[in-house]
Amino acid sequence: MPMTRGLRLMSTLALRGPLEEALLGALTARTGHAPEVRWAPAGVLADELRAGAAADLVILTRELLSALQTERSIRPGRVHVLASSAVGLAVPAGHPLPDISDAAAVRAAFLAARSVAWSSQGASGQHFLTLLDRLGISEHVLPRACRIETGLAGAKLRSGDADLAIQQLSELHMVEGISILGPLPEEIGATSVFALGVTSDSADEAGFISLAKEPAFCAALIQFGLTPRDE
């Protein structure tokens, strides 16, 4: 039965750019109802779902969706992989571009930065903490780092609160006026796989998935630094 209201979608910020660019408008045109979207870091959304938040479809990391399936917050067998994104670094536009070609160079860039902006609730933030421990510089970098609970780390480059930002490449691409250095080098990099999960039996995930496979959405994923996936 067709839904008589807008689809309730909860999505990680990592896919906000391509969804707004090439999918949500098409979904509104197809259904006649604008979707109700809640944007937040994946960890925040997972906690909200566990607390009983209402949604029809959810876009999170594949690992979180797997955990939520076990907890029965996501319908079993109804998870669809959409894209993957690497964690990257950026600096304010016009600033010198530090070398990030290997682990030693990234370590030096972190130590040289006045402040590193990072998101504590996202997958990139968890990797940042692990990486600082691995590089042995947590005590030097974290006290002066610019931690955000939600939002875009790149925005702190524009405001002057930080001179280096770490987040998913797709989230860095959403901020104008910054220079993206690229993904972390392979030896210390991290890639997150994002997928769509179903929380309501009435949700029309088939219609959403069909739009997600359209060339326009795949092009938007690439534009924002993501790699389309179809699994």
Side-chain angles (χ1 to χ4, degrees):
M1 179 181 295
M3 298 184 74
T4 57
R5 56 167 171 78
L7 184 78
R8 296 171 301 184
L9 173 67
M10 300 175 76
S11 175
T12 172
L13 290 166
L15 266 74
R16 181 170 186 169
L19 285 170
E20 290 186 332
E21 179 78 18
L23 193 146
L24 297 182
L27 184 64
T28 299
R30 175 177 290 189
T31 64
H33 301 283
E36 304 168 16
V37 187
R38 162 77 169 130
W39 307 105
V44 171
L45 295 179
D47 288 343
E48 290 179 0
L49 283 170
R50 292 182 176 113
D56 299 305
L57 301 176
V58 183
I59 298 175
L60 300 173
T61 62
R62 183 166 55 184
E63 291 76 14
L64 272 176
L65 286 175
S66 178
L68 290 168
Q69 275 189 308
T70 302
E71 299 164 15
R72 300 190 179 278
S73 296
I74 298 293
R75 295 292 189 267
R78 294 173 73 178
V79 171
H80 311 271
V81 172
L82 299 174
S84 59
S85 175
V87 174
L89 296 170
V91 296
H95 279 223
L97 306 181
D99 178 19
I100 62 164
S101 59
D102 57 26
V106 171
R107 184 180 189 275
F110 282 149
L111 289 172
R114 173 175 52 84
S115 180
V116 181
W118 65 290
S119 173
S120 63
Q121 297 295 320
S124 63
Q126 299 309 306
H127 183 67
F128 176 58
L129 294 178
T130 300
L131 182 55
L132 291 183
D133 283 341
R134 178 177 170 183
L135 297 175
I137 55 175
S138 295
E139 63 186 49
H140 301 288
V141 176
L142 279 180
R144 62 177 191 264
C146 181
R147 169 179 170 170
I148 62 173
E149 296 293 327
T150 186
L152 301 172
K156 295 301 182 180
L157 300 177
R158 297 199 60 182
S159 67
D161 293 311
D163 53 356
L164 186 65
I166 181 169
Q167 206 165 28
Q168 300 289 346
L169 281 176
S170 58
E171 292 169 297
L172 294 174
H173 273 282
M174 292 173 62
V175 182
E176 296 181 355
I178 67 174
S179 296
I180 297 174
L181 302 175
L184 291 168
E186 185 175 353
E187 61 191 294
I188 57 170
T191 298
S192 294
V193 177
F194 297 100
L196 177 77
V198 180
T199 61
S200 167
D201 285 333
S202 63
D204 176 22
E205 79 264 32
F208 191 99
I209 289 296
S210 69
L211 290 173
K213 292 182 178 180
E214 291 287 335
F217 184 64
C218 292
L221 288 172
I222 295 170
Q223 174 189 338
F224 282 89
L226 291 137
T227 300
R229 301 274 291 265
D230 185 8
E231 300 175 18

PDB file of all heavy atoms in Angstrom, residues 58 116 126:
ATOM      1  N   VAL A  58      17.062   3.618   7.328  1.00  0.00           N
ATOM      2  CA  VAL A  58      18.209   4.164   8.046  1.00  0.00           C
ATOM      3  C   VAL A  58      19.471   3.902   7.236  1.00  0.00           C
ATOM      4  O   VAL A  58      19.670   2.793   6.729  1.00  0.00           O
ATOM      5  CB  VAL A  58      18.360   3.505   9.436  1.00  0.00           C
ATOM      6  CG1 VAL A  58      19.512   4.136  10.198  1.00  0.00           C
ATOM      7  CG2 VAL A  58      17.080   3.613  10.231  1.00  0.00           C
ATOM      8  N   VAL A 116      43.363  20.150  15.491  1.00  0.00           N
ATOM      9  CA  VAL A 116      42.766  19.222  14.531  1.00  0.00           C
ATOM     10  C   VAL A 116      41.277  19.087  14.844  1.00  0.00           C
ATOM     11  O   VAL A 116      40.898  18.744  15.972  1.00  0.00           O
ATOM     12  CB  VAL A 116      43.427  17.830  14.594  1.00  0.00           C
ATOM     13  CG1 VAL A 116      42.789  16.895  13.560  1.00  0.00           C
ATOM     14  CG2 VAL A 116      44.929  17.932  14.366  1.00  0.00           C
ATOM     15  N   GLN A 126      36.361   7.759  15.607  1.00  0.00           N
ATOM     16  CA  GLN A 126      36.887   6.577  16.286  1.00  0.00           C
ATOM     17  C   GLN A 126      38.223   6.160  15.680  1.00  0.00           C
ATOM     18  O   GLN A 126      39.148   5.755  16.390  1.00  0.00           O
ATOM     19  CB  GLN A 126      35.872   5.431  16.197  1.00  0.00           C
ATOM     20  CG  GLN A 126      34.538   5.740  16.865  1.00  0.00           C
ATOM     21  CD  GLN A 126      34.699   6.245  18.289  1.00  0.00           C
ATOM     22  OE1 GLN A 126      35.338   5.603  19.117  1.00  0.00           O
ATOM     23  NE2 GLN A 126      34.136   7.413  18.576  1.00  0.00           N
TER      24      GLN A 126
END
